[in-house]
Amino acid sequence: MTNHIVLYQPEIPQNTGNIARTAAGTDSVLDIIRPMKFEINDHTVRRAGLDYWDKVKLVFHDSLEEFLATVPDQRYLYLITKFADTTYSDADFSDTSVDHYYMFGKETTGLPEPFMRANPEKCLRIPMTENIRALNLSNCAALVTYEALRQQNFAGLEKSHTYAHDKLK
């Protein structure tokens, strides 16, 4: 079982870099659907991801259709949008026998509206006030990914950490 963080045509390099760091820290795959407004080798993306890029399982897709063709079971594709009735924490991500895909849209316009309208059962929202248009993309990716991992009992992740000096005793 693998969790996939899917970015649809990302526009802000720093967000993608931060999400790459989340992907590396959670052993998730980072799927990016092109086109992008920047290159992964841009200084700002590398800086935001720090020195973890070699730990990121990065997969590029040239279109939404190409990406969808790689998803073996569309029941485990979740579209994260503010235009949904179901809250992300009400979704069931607990099945560890399948891959889960959490798709996030462009920072400026989100996911394509026709795609969301055709798949309302896949749409999940993160509750927020009406004081803002949206939460930061990298924060949203972390929220949903960690909720899924919580439901999966944090499979594959350290649940506690020993300080280096404790290991020396």
Side-chain angles (χ1 to χ4, degrees):
M1 182 275 315
T2 302
N3 289 299
H4 292 251
I5 302 170
V6 183
L7 302 182
Y8 176 79
Q9 301 180 354
E11 300 173 314
I12 301 175
Q14 295 87 343
N15 283 335
T16 300
N18 288 333
I19 293 167
R21 187 173 183 169
T22 297
T26 60
D27 205 24
S28 299
V29 173
L30 177 55
D31 291 272
I32 296 180
I33 301 170
R34 293 180 174 126
M36 300 166 46
K37 296 263 182 170
F38 55 89
E39 295 294 325
I40 289 296
N41 61 5
D42 277 356
H43 174 70
T44 52
V45 176
R46 295 260 178 224
R47 183 174 177 197
L50 298 174
D51 56 348
Y52 300 111
W53 280 99
D54 64 326
K55 312 258 188 307
V56 178
K57 298 171 188 165
L58 186 59
V59 180
F60 289 100
H61 307 275
D62 288 328
S63 68
L64 178 57
E65 296 72 26
E66 180 185 299
F67 163 73
L68 291 172
T70 69
V71 178
D73 191 338
Q74 300 277 318
R75 291 178 298 164
Y76 300 99
L77 172 63
Y78 307 93
L79 311 179
I80 312 305
T81 172
K82 68 180 188 177
F83 304 106
D85 294 326
T86 304
T87 302
Y88 78 103
S89 57
D90 291 333
D92 182 1
F93 306 120
S94 64
D95 188 344
T96 57
S97 67
V98 297
D99 286 5
H100 296 263
Y101 298 80
Y102 319 109
M103 182 183 287
F104 302 87
K106 295 180 186 183
E107 289 91 340
T108 56
T109 58
L111 292 167
E113 187 175 340
F115 179 59
M116 289 189 302
R117 286 190 185 276
N119 296 283
E121 74 287 356
K122 297 179 185 333
C123 294
L124 302 174
R125 86 179 266 116
I126 298 171
M128 66 183 123
T129 68
E130 293 185 15
N131 295 337
I132 58 173
R133 283 186 312 280
L135 294 172
N136 175 273
L137 179 62
S138 61
N139 293 337
C140 292
L143 278 169
V144 173
T145 301
Y146 271 92
E147 172 60 20
L149 288 163
R150 183 192 68 78
Q151 291 184 26
Q152 298 160 6
N153 199 29
F154 297 105
L157 302 183
E158 288 183 349
K159 291 186 191 175
S160 64
H161 186 76
T162 304
Y163 289 102
H165 70 279
D166 291 340
K167 289 181 180 179
L168 298 175
K169 292 181 182 180

